[in-house]
Amino acid sequence: MNLGTATGRNKGIEPGAERAGRKNGRKFIYLSLAPVLLLFGVFAFLPIGWSLGLSVFKYNPLSGSALFVGADNYIRMLGDSVFLKSLWVTFKFVIIAVMVNIIITLMIAVAIQRIRTGWLRSLMRTLFFLPTIAPLAGTAIVWSTMFNFNHGLFNILLDKMHMAPIQWLSDPHYALYSVIMMTLWADIGYNIVLFIAGLDSIPDMYYEAAILDGASRWHIFKDITLPLLRRSMLFISVTTVVSYFQAFAQFQIMTKGEPFNETRVLALHIYEQAFSNSNMGYASAMATVFLLIILVVTLLQLKWGRTEWEY
Amino acid sequence: MNAYKKVISDYEALHPDVSIDYQTFPYDVYNQKLKASFSAKSPPDIAEMFGTWVPEYSKNGLLAEIPGSEQLQTEYYEAPLGGYTLNGKLYGLPLEFNIENGGMLIHPQMLKEHGIANPPSTWDELVADAKQLTVRDGKGIKVKGFDFVSGDNITFTFLSMILQQNGKYWGENDHVDFQTPEAQKAMTALTSLIANDKVADLTTFGGELDTSDYFFQGRSAMTYRGPWTVAAGLNTYKVKDFEYVPVPSFTTNPPSFSAESGWGIVASEKSKQQKAAVDFITYMSSNDNLLAWNQSTFTVPAKKAVAENPEFLKSNPYMKTSLDILQLGKWIGPIADRDFFFKTINDHFQLMATGQEAVEKGLQNIEKTINESQDQHK
C-alpha cells in the first residue's frame, strides 16, 4: 500500500513543506466535516444534552422557573402504571411488527427475485414500494376509515362472510393488531427492496453447486440464502427495530393510545406528557430512558448479528 | 366565527384607533398553539380559552386581571366562572355555560310506539323506560334505550349523581374523594345501566361519531347530551321530530349537576395593548353583545341577565330545559389535567361495566390515579 501522499514521506519534500501540507490537510478535513458536525451538534447532540438536563427538573413551559428534583422523575417512572404499560405496549408492537415485517418482506423479496421477466419484476417491486411513498399520516387516516365499525371496508367484508363486525380500533383485543396491520402495509416496501438487493448480491455459483448436489429448495434457502443474507438481515432488523420503536403518527391519528392504553406506545406517551400535560421534565426523563433502551437493543442486535466472513 | 367577526367589526367601528387581527386554528392543535405562544413569550393580546385551561395560565401570572371581579361574580352563574377565578379575582370572562347534564334528546315517536306517553320524571322511570325502548337483534343492541356512553357524559353523570345525593367528591388538598357511599351508589347505578339493565353498550365508545350522531341516525331512543347537539340535529341531520327534555334527578333532590367552565376570552398579561384587550373583553361581555353571540352560536348563556332575557328563549326554544336548571350547576372543581381526569374515570367505568373490576376497587383506582396526577401539577 502506498501511503506516500497521505504521510508526506515522498523523497525530495522539505520538512517545513511537509508540515505545512499536513496542516493544510487537517484544515481541509475540519472544514469538510464542520457543516455535518454542526448539523449533528445543533439538531441531535444539543437536544439530547438539553433533554438530559431537563430530566432532573420539574418544568412546565408556562411557568417561569424550573424546580430541581434530582432523580425524582426517574423514580416516578417505576411507579407510573401508564409508563410501564406503554413500555410493554411498545415492546409488544416492536417484536410483533418487526418479526412479521421481516418474514413477509423476505418471502415477497424471494418471490420477486425468482421472476425472470424483467418488466414484471420491476412492476412488482414498484407495486410493493408504492405505499411507502404515501405520507404515513394520510395512510393512517385512510386506514381509520377502513376500520370504521359501521361503514368500514373490513366490517363490510366480514358482513359478506356472515361474520360479526369487529371494533377494530376500539376493542382492546384488536386495536394494537389493527395498527400493526396498517404499519406493515405502509412500510414493507423499503425492506423488500433491501432484501432484493441482498439476494442479488449472493453469487450464483453457490446455488449452482447446491443444485448439482441435489439440494432441495428449502435446503437452498435455509443453508445458502439465509446465511448469506445475514449482513442485509442485520441492517434491516436494526433499522426496522429503531424505526418501529419511534412509531408515533399512526398511533396519534388512529387510536390516540386508546382503548385502555392498549396502543399507548412510549413515543406517544412522551409527546402527550410533554406537550399536552406540560410535564417537560418527566417527559425528558422518559425520553432518556427510551434512548437508552433503543441503544441497548441496537448494541445487542449488532453483537448477535455480527458476521466475520466474506465472499 | 361570524359571531366573533361581527363583534370585532362593531368594536373597531366604535374605536377607529384599534385594529383586531382575528385568527382561527383547528381545535386539535389550538391548545398546544396557545401553550407554545405563551411559553415563547409571544402570546396573542386576546385569546379564546376553555375555562378548564385557564388556571394553568392564571396561576403562572400570564393573564391580565379583569377589573370589577366582585360585581361580575354576581352577574354570572357559578359554574362558568369557576375556571376563570383565582384567589377571588377574575382572569377572563366566560362567553357560555358549558352544560352537558340535565337534558337529553328523545324521539317522542319511539316512546309512543312503546306505550310511553311522557318523558320519564324519576330515575326509576328513566331506567324502566330505557329498558322498554331498547331494541335488540342477533348482533346486540340495535336501538339503545338510554345512551350516556360518551367521553363527557360518563364522568359528568357520575359526578352529578353524587351531587344529587348531597354528596361531595373533593377532599382536602385538591384531592378527589370517591370512597364515599354517594360515589359508590352513583357508580353502581351507572355501571348497572350497562351490566344489568343493558340499555346501552360500549360498542360505539371511542369511535369517531358522537352519541348525538347515533341518536339522530335513529340508533338510540334517549341520549344524554348537552343542548349544543340540538343544532347538529337541526342543521346537519335535518331531523325535526325530536325533543330536548329534562333528565330526572337520581334522587328526590333537585337535579344539581357538575359543569366545567366553558369557552371564554382572556387577555395576556404581557400584551402591549393590555388596556385595549381588557376593554374589548368588557365590551364583548355586555348583555347585548353576549345575547347576540349566544344566539348565533347556539350556546347557553353564562351571564344571568342574558339567560333570563325572554328574547334568548324565543330564538332558541330548545334551550328551555337547560335554562331552567342553570342555577343548580356547580363548578367541576380544580382539575389539574382535564383530559386525564375524564379518561381515568372512563377507562375504569368500562372495566367496571364489563365486570372486569368491582365498583369499590374501580373507585379506589380512579381516586389513586387522579390524585397522583393532581399532585404532579402542584
Side-chain angles (χ1 to χ4, degrees):
Chain A
M1 191 181 287
N2 180 11
L3 299 174
T5 310
T7 58
R9 288 186 186 183
N10 285 354
K11 279 180 187 173
I13 295 177
E14 297 293 318
E18 186 183 326
R19 267 200 301 277
R22 203 181 296 162
K23 212 174 164 185
N24 283 340
R26 277 207 195 113
K27 255 189 198 167
F28 176 74
I29 292 168
Y30 293 143
L31 221 71
S32 309
L33 286 177
V36 74
L37 283 177
L38 206 69
L39 198 76
F40 267 103
V42 173
F43 293 108
F45 298 121
L46 188 69
I48 290 173
W50 192 269
S51 171
L52 275 171
L54 212 56
S55 71
V56 290
F57 286 90
K58 185 175 180 177
Y59 174 58
N60 177 345
L62 290 175
S63 153
S65 57
L67 180 71
F68 180 77
V69 292
D72 274 9
N73 285 331
Y74 292 93
I75 296 164
R76 183 182 160 192
M77 263 180 256
L78 301 173
D80 180 350
S81 56
V82 182
F83 168 78
L84 296 173
K85 175 83 181 264
S86 67
L87 198 61
W88 160 243
V89 170
T90 307
F91 270 98
K92 196 172 158 189
F93 170 74
V94 170
I95 291 167
I96 297 173
V98 170
M99 277 173 61
V100 178
N101 181 315
I102 287 177
I103 292 168
I104 291 177
T105 52
L106 182 57
M107 281 165 61
I108 295 172
V110 169
I112 291 175
Q113 210 229 4
R114 292 178 72 86
I115 298 173
R116 292 293 161 213
T117 319
W119 66 267
L120 189 60
R121 198 175 166 193
S122 301
L123 179 72
M124 296 308 286
R125 206 162 36 194
T126 310
L127 275 180
F128 281 106
F129 196 74
L130 267 179
T132 315
I133 301 167
L136 195 59
T139 307
I141 290 168
V142 171
W143 275 72
S144 294
T145 62
M146 296 202 295
F147 282 133
N148 182 286
F149 182 75
N150 295 308
H151 315 293
L153 175 70
F154 294 111
N155 277 352
I156 290 173
L157 292 176
L158 287 179
D159 192 48
K160 296 265 181 229
M161 293 186 282
H162 305 288
M163 290 168 77
I166 290 173
Q167 295 274 357
W168 294 96
L169 296 175
S170 13
D171 185 325
H173 300 105
Y174 295 103
L176 185 65
Y177 299 106
S178 303
V179 182
I180 289 174
M181 264 168 72
M182 173 265 155
T183 306
L184 290 172
W185 182 87
D187 196 52
I188 56 171
Y190 273 123
N191 289 353
I192 289 173
V193 169
L194 291 170
F195 269 131
I196 291 174
L199 289 167
D200 284 344
S201 68
I202 299 173
D204 284 342
M205 61 181 179
Y206 296 114
Y207 291 114
E208 287 160 4
I211 290 164
L212 282 176
D213 286 345
S216 67
R217 277 185 184 174
W218 167 244
H219 278 108
I220 291 174
F221 177 75
K222 186 169 73 77
D223 297 324
I224 297 176
T225 309
L226 271 185
L228 295 184
L229 262 184
R230 209 164 156 183
R231 281 207 172 101
S232 303
M233 188 76 86
L234 177 65
F235 176 77
I236 286 167
S237 61
V238 168
T239 52
T240 311
V241 164
V242 172
S243 151
Y244 284 3
F245 262 122
Q246 295 170 349
F248 170 79
Q250 58 269 57
F251 290 99
Q252 166 74 355
I253 291 167
M254 294 173 77
T255 62
K256 292 197 164 54
E258 298 304 312
F260 300 118
N261 297 321
E262 285 295 338
T263 59
R264 187 167 300 276
V265 284
L266 210 45
L268 179 70
H269 190 49
I270 291 170
Y271 167 81
E272 287 195 347
Q273 281 293 328
F275 299 107
S276 299
N277 301 341
S278 304
N279 289 330
M280 285 288 178
Y282 187 47
S284 298
M286 286 195 285
T288 306
V289 170
F290 198 26
L291 173 79
L292 290 174
I293 290 171
I294 297 177
L295 195 69
V296 169
V297 170
T298 307
L299 288 174
L300 286 175
Q301 278 183 284
L302 290 174
K303 192 184 169 196
W304 292 333
R306 189 181 297 149
T307 49
E308 286 167 356
W309 47 257
E310 282 181 21
Y311 54 76
Chain B
M1 206 192 285
N2 288 336
Y4 272 119
K5 283 182 181 167
K6 165 90 174 58
V7 76
I8 286 169
S9 67
D10 288 351
Y11 185 83
E12 285 176 334
L14 286 171
H15 302 82
D17 56 325
V18 175
S19 166
I20 299 175
D21 176 21
Y22 175 63
Q23 294 182 8
T24 58
F25 301 92
Y27 175 75
D28 285 353
V29 299
Y30 184 58
N31 193 6
Q32 283 164 23
K33 182 94 185 158
L34 271 181
K35 278 186 182 175
S37 69
F38 276 90
S39 307
K41 302 195 184 345
S42 60
D45 296 314
I46 305 164
E48 184 185 54
M49 270 195 197
F50 195 64
T52 307
W53 303 347
V54 174
E56 197 177 2
Y57 294 83
S58 57
K59 73 182 180 191
N60 285 309
L62 299 170
L63 303 180
E65 187 192 334
I66 307 294
S69 299
E70 227 167 276
Q71 173 61 23
L72 285 167
Q73 278 167 355
T74 63
E75 294 175 10
Y76 283 81
Y77 291 104
E78 178 206 324
L81 224 47
Y84 294 87
T85 312
L86 181 72
N87 301 326
K89 292 175 181 169
L90 285 173
Y91 292 89
L93 285 175
L95 298 172
E96 57 138 5
F97 194 129
N98 185 262
I99 176 172
E100 291 292 347
N101 282 73
M104 63 178 172
L105 302 155
I106 63 161
H107 283 299
Q109 187 59 30
M110 287 190 189
L111 269 72
K112 259 184 212 164
E113 284 165 6
H114 287 83
I116 302 166
N118 295 305
S121 57
T122 65
W123 187 263
D124 288 343
E125 270 182 37
L126 174 87
V127 178
D129 289 354
K131 280 184 189 172
Q132 221 176 315
L133 289 163
T134 305
V135 180
R136 292 182 179 80
D137 63 9
K139 291 175 190 168
I141 295 180
K142 197 177 164 197
V143 179
K144 292 171 188 169
F146 176 58
D147 191 7
F148 63 97
V149 187
S150 74
D152 287 334
N153 284 81
I154 293 169
T155 301
F156 278 126
T157 311
F158 169 55
L159 299 181
S160 299
M161 286 163 90
I162 296 173
L163 294 179
Q164 287 163 13
Q165 299 173 73
N166 291 330
K168 287 179 182 172
Y169 52 84
W170 284 106
E172 288 176 0
N173 210 14
D174 287 352
H175 278 186
V176 290
D177 179 6
F178 290 140
Q179 302 303 307
T180 60
E182 291 87 2
Q184 296 268 348
K185 195 174 172 190
M187 189 52 90
T188 304
L190 208 57
T191 50
S192 183
L193 289 170
I194 304 281
N196 304 321
D197 305 321
K198 299 185 192 312
V199 298
D201 57 27
L202 304 171
T203 53
T204 49
F205 186 70
E208 59 267 48
L209 291 184
D210 189 73
T211 47
S212 58
D213 291 305
Y214 294 114
F215 171 82
F216 292 117
Q217 290 171 1
R219 294 171 60 192
S220 68
M222 303 190 288
T223 291
Y224 206 167
R225 210 68 178 105
W228 58 271
T229 53
V230 170
L234 296 172
N235 304 329
T236 310
Y237 287 95
K238 311 283 181 203
V239 178
K240 290 215 168 81
D241 59 337
F242 71 93
E243 286 175 15
Y244 192 73
V245 301
V247 173
S249 171
F250 181 52
T251 63
T252 51
N253 294 326
S256 306
F257 64 95
S258 160
E260 284 182 278
S261 299
W263 290 101
I265 37 176
V266 299
S268 165
E269 175 69 12
K270 293 271 188 294
S271 167
K272 285 176 187 162
Q273 313 296 334
Q274 195 194 103
K275 205 177 157 202
V278 171
D279 187 57
F280 175 78
I281 293 174
T282 311
Y283 171 79
M284 195 174 168
S285 302
S286 70
N287 292 350
D288 288 345
N289 283 331
L290 274 184
L291 175 67
W293 196 86
N294 288 134
Q295 279 176 322
S296 59
T297 55
F298 206 85
T299 47
V300 180
K303 206 172 185 181
K304 291 174 185 170
V306 182
E308 288 160 6
N309 189 332
E311 276 296 305
F312 181 76
L313 186 59
K314 203 175 152 191
S315 59
N316 287 325
Y318 280 100
M319 290 283 188
K320 186 178 183 322
T321 297
S322 301
L323 292 176
D324 286 346
I325 56 163
L326 293 184
Q327 76 284 0
L328 297 173
K330 309 275 180 219
W331 180 47
I332 195 166
I335 296 174
D337 184 339
R338 191 263 181 207
D339 290 346
F340 187 79
F341 186 98
F342 278 62
K343 179 186 148 41
T344 305
I345 293 178
N346 291 341
D347 278 358
H348 286 280
F349 171 79
Q350 292 175 77
L351 294 175
M352 291 182 272
T354 50
Q356 296 175 65
E357 195 174 45
V359 169
E360 197 179 341
K361 183 73 184 158
L363 288 173
Q364 279 172 12
N365 288 335
I366 292 172
E367 185 182 295
K368 182 175 172 284
T369 312
I370 288 177
N371 288 342
E372 277 173 9
S373 162
Q374 292 287 110
D375 288 340
Q376 282 305 321
H377 285 82
K378 279 174 188 162

